[in-house]
Amino acid sequence: MLRVFNRSASKLALAAILVFSSLSTAAVAAPTTTVSKITVTDFAGRSITFDKPVKSVVTLAAGDAQIVAALGGNLVGRPKTSNTKLPKAVLDAAVIGSAHTPNYELITALKPELIIGSKSLNVKDVKALEATGAKVFLTNSESVNEIKESVLKIGQLLGKSERAKATAQAMDVKLQLAGKINKDNPKKALIVYGAPGTLLAAMPDSLPGDLLTRAGGKNVASDFPKMEKMSGYAQLSAERVIASNPDVVFLITHGDPEAVKKAFDAEISKNASWSSLTAVKKDHIVILPSHLFGTNPGTKIFDSLQVLATHLKEAE
């Protein structure tokens, strides 16, 4: 009887092994794990969903192109720019016009899965951009925090969230270091933006104004009347500037920096009181590099802060 029992037990054990083996093989052959969809809300409140990480991107702003390149994304198209200091991965991408006038035929030919545009400039272009076959993500860059948020959201879309988090953390460290330079000795400063046909003052809720505050500057335009059509900026008022007497005046532009300097010199010549300003008497009139201040600098935002902090320090 014992032998019969052992023989039966052996048969049962062998059967169990065969069943387990077949189940294991089936599990390997047909995994149940599914890839989660990627859904991100852009800065215009629009929800964008992809079934898998984005493999090809066109950007309408150089700063966003820089972010895509920094995260290791495949940038196939970028806007025309005079900035030769951009990463090779950005400069090598096809030129697709500008944020104001994107070339839809070129974009369509590149077959991007994603187009990254600007909330302020391209919200009106969304349907035309989507007609190229791509999905559209709109960014905003009116503060340092918004640029860091863009890094994280673009990282999600590219399937590179961990790299994006590391990049944002590295940006934070450098921003904090630059922000300590003038912590105990803030300077009064004015940032003048040279727009076509006019000069504007950057307020604290603009990107240049946010950078100035972080760099240890006291923005003398903080109480200037805001413009309705251009958020974050005010019309330049000679009387208000003279009354506030800034230690430093910074000049920024999208275009030719020397043209803005000439326009500012012309403004000074209209009113002799400008010569009484500390910034004018000590020649603390600084033309800021356009690739760091005339547009969204992307992951190089800490370089922008470093430049401001250094000039404020030198104005002692």
Side-chain angles (χ1 to χ4, degrees):
M1 291 294 295
L2 185 60
R3 290 181 181 178
V4 173
F5 177 81
N6 285 343
R7 194 178 297 118
S8 300
S10 298
K11 289 180 180 178
L12 288 172
L14 179 59
I17 291 171
L18 291 172
V19 170
F20 179 78
S21 177
S22 64
L23 289 173
S24 299
T25 303
V28 172
T32 57
T33 303
T34 56
V35 179
S36 300
K37 290 186 177 182
I38 300 170
T39 299
V40 179
T41 301
D42 72 6
F43 288 79
R46 301 167 54 256
S47 182
I48 296 94
T49 299
F50 285 91
D51 292 329
K52 56 185 179 179
V54 172
K55 298 300 182 184
S56 56
V57 185
V58 161
T59 71
L60 303 182
D64 292 329
Q66 194 173 89
I67 291 173
V68 172
L71 298 180
N74 178 27
L75 183 72
V76 296
R78 51 88 171 175
K80 181 180 180 180
T81 176
S82 59
N83 181 9
T84 58
K85 297 182 180 181
L86 289 167
K88 186 176 185 298
V90 175
L91 295 176
D92 286 349
V95 178
I96 47 77
S98 69
H100 296 278
T101 55
N103 187 316
Y104 296 105
E105 289 185 7
L106 286 178
I107 293 174
T108 301
L110 292 171
K111 298 180 180 179
E113 294 179 1
L114 174 68
I115 298 172
I116 300 177
S118 162
K119 173 188 171 184
S120 60
L121 295 177
N122 302 120
V123 72
K124 67 183 187 306
D125 305 319
V126 168
K127 288 186 178 180
L129 290 168
E130 288 178 334
T132 65
K135 293 185 180 181
V136 179
F137 179 82
L138 299 176
T139 64
N140 209 32
S141 56
E142 293 182 359
S143 70
V144 171
N145 285 338
E146 284 186 338
I147 291 177
K148 289 193 294 182
E149 189 177 354
S150 289
V151 170
L152 295 174
K153 290 192 172 191
I154 291 173
Q156 283 181 267
L157 291 168
L158 298 176
K160 298 180 182 294
S161 290
E162 292 306 313
R163 185 164 177 173
K165 289 175 185 177
T167 300
Q169 288 171 356
M171 289 168 65
D172 268 335
V173 171
K174 293 179 180 180
L175 288 166
Q176 289 170 10
L177 289 174
K180 291 178 180 179
I181 295 176
N182 300 290
K183 183 179 179 181
D184 300 321
N185 189 20
K187 309 291 194 313
K188 292 188 294 182
L190 171 70
I191 297 182
V192 177
Y193 170 60
T198 188
L199 296 175
L200 306 176
M203 303 185 74
D205 57 346
S206 66
L207 178 58
D210 184 22
L211 285 166
L212 177 59
T213 300
R214 289 170 178 267
K218 183 180 179 181
N219 194 334
V220 300
S222 60
D223 60 351
F224 284 19
K226 284 187 176 183
M227 297 180 67
E228 291 184 8
K229 293 184 178 180
M230 199 166 179
S231 176
Y233 292 86
Q235 202 69 47
L236 191 66
S237 165
E239 292 74 18
R240 287 177 177 271
V241 174
I242 292 165
S244 61
N245 190 26
D247 299 303
V248 190
V249 174
F250 295 107
L251 306 178
I252 61 175
T253 181
H254 288 299
D256 181 9
E258 289 303 324
V260 177
K261 181 66 165 63
K262 289 179 181 178
F264 186 69
D265 289 341
E267 180 67 28
I268 292 176
S269 66
K270 294 177 186 177
N271 191 332
S273 298
W274 279 95
S275 60
S276 66
L277 294 183
T278 299
V280 175
K281 289 190 293 185
K282 293 188 175 183
D283 196 27
H284 290 159
I285 312 295
V286 180
I287 301 175
L288 295 172
S290 60
H291 71 283
L292 292 178
F293 293 92
T295 185
N296 166 13
T299 55
K300 297 296 182 182
I301 191 71
F302 53 82
D303 288 346
S304 305
L305 184 61
Q306 182 72 44
V307 168
L308 276 179
T310 300
H311 282 300
L312 287 170
K313 182 70 174 177
E314 292 172 350
E316 295 180 346

